[in-house]
Amino acid sequence: MRISVYRKAHFNAAHRLHVDSWTEEQNKKVFGLCNSSNFHGHNYDLEVRVTGEVDPITGMLIDLKVLKDVIKEQIEDRFDHKNLNLDTEEFKTLNPTAENICYVIWQILSAKLGEQYEIGVKLFETPRNFVEYPA
Amino acid sequence: MRISVYRKAHFNAAHRLHVDSWTEEQNKKVFGLCNSSNFHGHNYDLEVRVTGEVDPITGMLIDLKVLKDVIKEQIEDRFDHKNLNLDTEEFKTLNPTAENICYVIWQILSAKLGEQYEIGVKLFETPRNFVEYPA
Amino acid sequence: MRISVYRKAHFNAAHRLHVDSWTEEQNKKVFGLCNSSNFHGHNYDLEVRVTGEVDPITGMLIDLKVLKDVIKEQIEDRFDHKNLNLDTEEFKTLNPTAENICYVIWQILSAKLGEQYEIGVKLFETPRNFVEYPA
Amino acid sequence: MRISVYRKAHFNAAHRLHVDSWTEEQNKKVFGLCNSSNFHGHNYDLEVRVTGEVDPITGMLIDLKVLKDVIKEQIEDRFDHKNLNLDTEEFKTLNPTAENICYVIWQILSAKLGEQYEIGVKLFETPRNFVEYPA
Amino acid sequence: MRISVYRKAHFNAAHRLHVDSWTEEQNKKVFGLCNSSNFHGHNYDLEVRVTGEVDPITGMLIDLKVLKDVIKEQIEDRFDHKNLNLDTEEFKTLNPTAENICYVIWQILSAKLGEQYEIGVKLFETPRNFVEYPA
Amino acid sequence: MRISVYRKAHFNAAHRLHVDSWTEEQNKKVFGLCNSSNFHGHNYDLEVRVTGEVDPITGMLIDLKVLKDVIKEQIEDRFDHKNLNLDTEEFKTLNPTAENICYVIWQILSAKLGEQYEIGVKLFETPRNFVEYPA
């Protein structure tokens, strides 16, 4: 019996969109307000999907407390109340678009939760703009 | 033209997580607070997805009033304001985890709505924890 | 790196469900209150999913401002504060069920956004009733 | 012990804003798109507040089933799936602005629920626009 | 400068409505399904309002971490994953209606947070039914 | 007929909490993570309440388009995608706590909308933490 379990989490962070190899004009033209030099920020809402086989005895796919703790330690503690561009290793050179943040979170959680689970990540930059990996 | 129609519903119920063949220590260790002997409860939110071919004359997949009534009679009347462990046939021996409740609801609705429709069920135990069958 | 980007939008419109080739009795029987001759209305919430390959330089799938503007010009300006049956070309003869509105929006956006993107549309007629194309 | 109990409900309706004694130019200028001659519509969300003294024996202010039924019979059955301008007595000549609809609902519920309760009504025309009476 | 700060929290609990001095018939008649002998349950959402004077140096009314911890220790730890009728001192004899739970929470938080703050409590039994003390 | 009309808006911004006259130790102790030197950010949700007398002819308190435009020009354009500490006049020296931001918005809107309206502002820093002025 293959099922998906979802857990929501969130973190607040500052960022700006910027491609280092571009001129300021190019950056301003492509990223607009999101390129503001002093950063802006978001309440990022995160929805993690874990898919796999239910344990026939417990009737559970994964201990939700374990999942909650992994998300807290691996994602919330890493990004919450941080400046993504300045304070994190992941986005020192990688542009912190919602697409890239979503993919980075997927990589971290997939590596941590192990091969018996298939992971999906939805990241909400605002309630109206969000991304999902894998598609 | 293949499309999906969704309908939301909800029910309030008490439950506890418990594997009868285990010792109290094992149950407490695996299920934690969810094993509390006097039960706790949830507002379960249910999202039912029905997929199939749209009728080219009416432009409808399924009469939403029929779908609403089936969900009410088959799921809400069965589980609402009940103690899942004590008051329902389905969870007399089956552990009422969100995973198992979701699968039981999928079985009931699939049998009732018939083979022309493919059913999907999302069950929210809280706004932050939810499951989906099939994955 | 294939990813999905979502953008939400909304419009308010009046409509009634009606099959012109049917008698009033047939229409009333199948569509019930939704057949009321003087129309009723909804706040339609729209969730557009765009799937494709992320640009490795910008880290973006699509410029969200472009996506927002396309949805505004192609969908919101076309349907907002309109009577779908009387004021729009699309539903002059096509019954404006949620299923048909969803499919029409998918056709318009797919044609406009181009072949490099795969489009999905979720249309909420109310927070409890919604449809998705493709399934 | 004075307390407030809230109950939410909703109805879907068509309307247009129009002052009969004005010219079409005046109406168009003041009400804009909301004046569209063929109507548009909304999912109206309603939040009713009932304030009074809790019964010391039951620990309840009002039987919620009674409150739910009064709202259904007096408000939902009256306005749901209706054209407010054409199908209701209340808005035959009164302009169906959110302000006026809210006040009319307050009048109906106050008269029906009786003097031992103080009534408040919040009416959401969209999730972003809503009104409250009394202020 | 007098301002209000709000903090949301939640807990999941089982309960039944029951007046011990009444017959089973009276209880069933007044409380209906909520009187089910084996309990049912809810996700209780809690909204705490704290009103007072902002500190002119910090620009804060109250340290939100302190408020969050007080709510966790005084309310969540006391009621979460509990059977309100059987597992708590507060509702051993007091009927656990939303009105009474709301008032009990207000009493606990008012005593704990001290006289410089005025407290308000909104308790959601479901998203559609909620209460507020003081009125 | 005195009524309240509400309009929601939002803006995304970066900020840090900091009292310039304090040592770093004091700032870190009082503001914790919110004091992070490289800023963090939020999706600020804003709920503006306007109270006054309904115009008996139009049945409206205020033209919602006017209200929406005032909020956009005075608040969203001023704060959206900005670093509140570095990019705005208002918080050059004033600590950008939710309490202070809420009060500043109230001052701006009260001055702009004029004396015939009474203004209230609710500012959500996250869905769980929000403030309201006046209390």
Side-chain angles (χ1 to χ4, degrees):
Chain A
M1 180 181 147
R2 196 166 173 80
I3 209 165
S4 292
V5 166
Y6 296 76
R7 172 76 195 169
K8 288 201 171 183
H10 70 271
F11 56 93
N12 310 319
H15 80 150
R16 71 179 296 215
L17 300 188
H18 193 263
V19 171
D20 294 345
S21 59
W22 285 0
T23 63
E24 283 312 303
E25 285 71 24
Q26 277 181 293
N27 273 294
K28 186 59 72 189
K29 189 178 165 205
V30 171
F31 299 121
L33 281 177
C34 297
N35 181 243
S36 301
S37 56
N38 286 326
F39 310 100
H40 62 286
H42 296 289
N43 302 329
Y44 288 96
D45 273 310
L46 178 64
E47 184 181 303
V48 176
R49 187 185 68 231
V50 179
T51 303
E53 292 291 323
V54 170
D55 177 311
I57 310 228
T58 61
M60 298 197 307
L61 173 65
I62 185 173
D63 184 334
L64 263 177
K65 183 157 177 13
V66 170
L67 179 57
K68 182 183 172 183
D69 289 348
V70 166
I71 296 173
K72 184 177 184 312
E73 286 157 25
Q74 296 295 320
I75 309 300
E76 293 178 306
D77 290 353
R78 192 186 301 246
F79 297 138
D80 191 35
H81 283 77
K82 296 286 173 62
N83 182 309
L84 298 179
N85 304 66
L86 301 182
D87 297 335
T88 75
E89 285 309 308
E90 290 75 10
F91 302 103
K92 278 267 154 61
T93 59
L94 184 66
N95 197 15
T97 59
E99 289 90 330
N100 279 338
I101 304 172
C102 185
Y103 179 66
V104 162
I105 292 173
W106 177 86
Q107 281 184 309
I108 295 170
L109 293 178
S110 292
K112 192 73 188 180
L113 288 167
E115 289 188 355
Q116 78 265 41
Y117 300 118
E118 189 186 331
I119 307 301
V121 174
K122 231 178 196 174
L123 182 75
F124 295 72
E125 204 167 73
T126 75
R128 299 195 142 198
N129 297 338
F130 45 107
V131 300
E132 185 177 31
Y133 184 85
Chain B
M1 179 181 147
R2 196 167 173 79
I3 208 165
S4 292
V5 166
Y6 295 76
R7 171 77 196 169
K8 287 203 171 181
H10 70 271
F11 56 93
N12 310 319
H15 80 150
R16 71 179 296 217
L17 299 188
H18 194 262
V19 171
D20 294 346
S21 60
W22 284 1
T23 64
E24 284 311 304
E25 285 72 25
Q26 279 181 292
N27 274 292
K28 186 60 70 189
K29 189 179 164 204
V30 171
F31 300 120
L33 282 176
C34 297
N35 181 243
S36 300
S37 57
N38 286 326
F39 310 99
H40 62 285
H42 296 290
N43 302 330
Y44 289 97
D45 273 310
L46 179 62
E47 184 180 303
V48 176
R49 187 186 67 229
V50 179
T51 303
E53 291 291 324
V54 170
D55 178 313
I57 309 226
T58 62
M60 298 198 307
L61 173 67
I62 185 172
D63 185 334
L64 262 178
K65 181 155 177 18
V66 169
L67 178 58
K68 183 183 172 183
D69 289 349
V70 166
I71 296 172
K72 182 177 185 311
E73 286 158 24
Q74 295 295 319
I75 308 300
E76 292 178 308
D77 290 352
R78 193 187 300 247
F79 296 137
D80 191 36
H81 282 79
K82 297 286 174 62
N83 182 310
L84 297 178
N85 305 67
L86 301 181
D87 297 334
T88 74
E89 285 309 310
E90 289 77 9
F91 302 103
K92 278 267 154 60
T93 59
L94 185 67
N95 198 15
T97 58
E99 290 90 330
N100 279 337
I101 303 171
C102 185
Y103 179 65
V104 163
I105 291 173
W106 177 85
Q107 282 184 309
I108 295 170
L109 292 178
S110 293
K112 193 72 189 178
L113 288 167
E115 290 187 356
Q116 77 266 43
Y117 299 118
E118 190 187 329
I119 306 302
V121 175
K122 230 178 196 175
L123 182 74
F124 294 73
E125 205 167 73
T126 75
R128 299 195 142 200
N129 298 336
F130 46 106
V131 300
E132 185 178 31
Y133 184 85
Chain C
M1 180 181 146
R2 196 167 174 78
I3 209 166
S4 292
V5 166
Y6 295 76
R7 172 76 195 168
K8 287 204 171 180
H10 70 271
F11 56 93
N12 310 319
H15 81 150
R16 72 179 295 215
L17 300 187
H18 193 263
V19 171
D20 294 346
S21 60
W22 283 3
T23 64
E24 284 311 304
E25 286 72 24
Q26 278 180 293
N27 273 293
K28 185 60 71 189
K29 190 179 163 204
V30 171
F31 299 120
L33 281 176
C34 297
N35 181 243
S36 301
S37 56
N38 286 327
F39 310 100
H40 61 286
H42 295 290
N43 302 329
Y44 288 96
D45 273 310
L46 179 63
E47 184 180 303
V48 176
R49 187 187 67 230
V50 179
T51 303
E53 292 292 323
V54 170
D55 178 311
I57 310 228
T58 62
M60 297 197 309
L61 174 65
I62 185 173
D63 184 334
L64 263 178
K65 183 156 176 16
V66 170
L67 178 57
K68 183 183 171 183
D69 289 348
V70 166
I71 295 172
K72 184 178 183 313
E73 285 158 25
Q74 296 294 320
I75 308 300
E76 292 178 309
D77 290 352
R78 192 186 299 247
F79 295 138
D80 190 35
H81 282 77
K82 296 287 174 63
N83 182 310
L84 298 179
N85 305 68
L86 301 182
D87 297 334
T88 74
E89 285 309 309
E90 289 77 9
F91 302 103
K92 278 269 154 59
T93 59
L94 185 67
N95 197 16
T97 58
E99 290 90 331
N100 280 337
I101 304 172
C102 185
Y103 179 64
V104 163
I105 292 173
W106 177 86
Q107 282 184 308
I108 295 170
L109 293 178
S110 293
K112 193 73 190 178
L113 288 167
E115 289 187 356
Q116 78 266 42
Y117 299 118
E118 189 186 329
I119 307 301
V121 175
K122 231 178 195 174
L123 183 74
F124 294 73
E125 204 168 74
T126 74
R128 298 197 143 198
N129 298 337
F130 45 107
V131 299
E132 185 178 30
Y133 184 85
Chain D
M1 179 181 146
R2 197 166 173 80
I3 209 165
S4 292
V5 166
Y6 296 76
R7 171 76 194 169
K8 288 201 171 182
H10 70 272
F11 56 93
N12 310 319
H15 80 150
R16 70 180 298 216
L17 300 188
H18 193 263
V19 172
D20 294 346
S21 60
W22 285 1
T23 63
E24 284 311 304
E25 286 71 24
Q26 278 181 292
N27 274 292
K28 186 60 71 189
K29 189 179 164 205
V30 171
F31 299 121
L33 281 177
C34 297
N35 181 243
S36 302
S37 56
N38 286 326
F39 310 99
H40 62 285
H42 296 290
N43 302 330
Y44 288 96
D45 273 310
L46 179 64
E47 185 180 301
V48 177
R49 186 187 68 229
V50 179
T51 303
E53 291 291 324
V54 170
D55 178 312
I57 310 227
T58 61
M60 297 197 308
L61 172 66
I62 185 173
D63 185 334
L64 262 178
K65 182 156 177 12
V66 169
L67 178 58
K68 182 183 172 183
D69 289 349
V70 166
I71 296 172
K72 184 178 183 310
E73 285 158 26
Q74 296 294 321
I75 308 300
E76 292 178 309
D77 290 353
R78 192 186 300 245
F79 296 137
D80 190 35
H81 283 78
K82 296 286 174 61
N83 182 310
L84 297 179
N85 305 67
L86 301 181
D87 297 334
T88 75
E89 285 309 310
E90 290 75 10
F91 302 103
K92 278 267 153 60
T93 58
L94 184 67
N95 197 15
T97 58
E99 289 91 329
N100 279 338
I101 303 172
C102 185
Y103 179 65
V104 163
I105 291 174
W106 178 85
Q107 282 185 309
I108 294 170
L109 292 178
S110 292
K112 193 73 188 179
L113 288 167
E115 290 187 356
Q116 78 266 41
Y117 300 117
E118 189 187 330
I119 306 302
V121 174
K122 232 178 195 175
L123 182 74
F124 294 72
E125 204 167 73
T126 74
R128 298 196 143 199
N129 298 337
F130 46 107
V131 299
E132 185 178 31
Y133 184 87
Chain E
M1 181 180 146
R2 196 167 173 79
I3 209 166
S4 292
V5 166
Y6 295 75
R7 171 77 195 167
K8 288 202 170 181
H10 70 270
F11 56 92
N12 311 318
H15 81 150
R16 72 179 296 216
L17 300 187
H18 192 262
V19 171
D20 294 346
S21 60
W22 284 2
T23 64
E24 284 311 304
E25 286 72 25
Q26 278 181 292
N27 273 292
K28 187 59 72 189
K29 189 179 163 205
V30 170
F31 299 120
L33 282 176
C34 297
N35 181 243
S36 300
S37 57
N38 286 327
F39 310 99
H40 62 285
H42 295 288
N43 302 329
Y44 289 96
D45 274 310
L46 179 64
E47 184 181 303
V48 176
R49 187 186 67 230
V50 179
T51 303
E53 291 292 324
V54 171
D55 178 312
I57 310 231
T58 62
M60 298 197 308
L61 173 66
I62 186 173
D63 184 334
L64 263 177
K65 183 154 175 17
V66 169
L67 178 57
K68 183 183 171 183
D69 289 349
V70 167
I71 296 173
K72 184 178 184 311
E73 284 158 25
Q74 295 296 319
I75 309 300
E76 293 178 309
D77 290 353
R78 193 186 299 247
F79 296 138
D80 190 36
H81 283 77
K82 296 286 174 61
N83 182 310
L84 297 179
N85 305 67
L86 302 181
D87 297 335
T88 75
E89 285 310 308
E90 289 76 9
F91 302 103
K92 277 268 154 58
T93 59
L94 184 67
N95 198 16
T97 58
E99 289 90 330
N100 280 338
I101 304 171
C102 185
Y103 179 65
V104 162
I105 292 173
W106 177 85
Q107 283 185 309
I108 295 170
L109 292 178
S110 293
K112 193 73 189 177
L113 289 166
E115 290 187 356
Q116 77 265 43
Y117 300 118
E118 191 187 328
I119 306 301
V121 175
K122 230 178 196 175
L123 182 74
F124 294 73
E125 204 167 75
T126 75
R128 298 196 143 199
N129 297 336
F130 45 106
V131 301
E132 185 178 30
Y133 184 85
Chain F
M1 181 180 145
R2 196 167 173 79
I3 209 166
S4 292
V5 166
Y6 295 76
R7 171 77 194 168
K8 288 202 172 183
H10 70 271
F11 56 94
N12 310 320
H15 80 151
R16 73 179 294 217
L17 300 187
H18 193 262
V19 172
D20 294 347
S21 59
W22 285 1
T23 63
E24 284 312 303
E25 286 71 25
Q26 278 181 292
N27 273 293
K28 186 59 72 188
K29 189 179 163 204
V30 172
F31 299 120
L33 281 176
C34 298
N35 181 243
S36 301
S37 56
N38 287 326
F39 310 99
H40 62 285
H42 295 289
N43 302 329
Y44 288 96
D45 274 310
L46 179 64
E47 184 181 301
V48 176
R49 187 187 66 229
V50 179
T51 303
E53 291 292 322
V54 170
D55 178 311
I57 309 227
T58 61
M60 297 197 308
L61 173 66
I62 186 173
D63 185 334
L64 263 177
K65 183 154 176 15
V66 170
L67 178 58
K68 182 183 171 183
D69 289 349
V70 166
I71 296 172
K72 184 177 184 314
E73 286 157 26
Q74 296 294 320
I75 309 300
E76 293 177 309
D77 290 353
R78 191 186 301 246
F79 296 138
D80 190 35
H81 283 76
K82 296 285 173 61
N83 182 310
L84 297 179
N85 305 66
L86 302 181
D87 297 334
T88 74
E89 285 308 310
E90 289 75 10
F91 302 103
K92 278 267 154 61
T93 58
L94 184 66
N95 197 15
T97 58
E99 289 90 331
N100 280 338
I101 304 172
C102 186
Y103 179 66
V104 163
I105 292 174
W106 177 86
Q107 282 185 308
I108 294 169
L109 292 179
S110 293
K112 191 74 189 175
L113 288 167
E115 290 188 356
Q116 78 266 42
Y117 300 118
E118 190 186 330
I119 307 301
V121 174
K122 231 177 195 175
L123 181 74
F124 294 73
E125 203 167 75
T126 74
R128 299 196 142 198
N129 296 338
F130 45 107
V131 299
E132 185 178 30
Y133 184 86

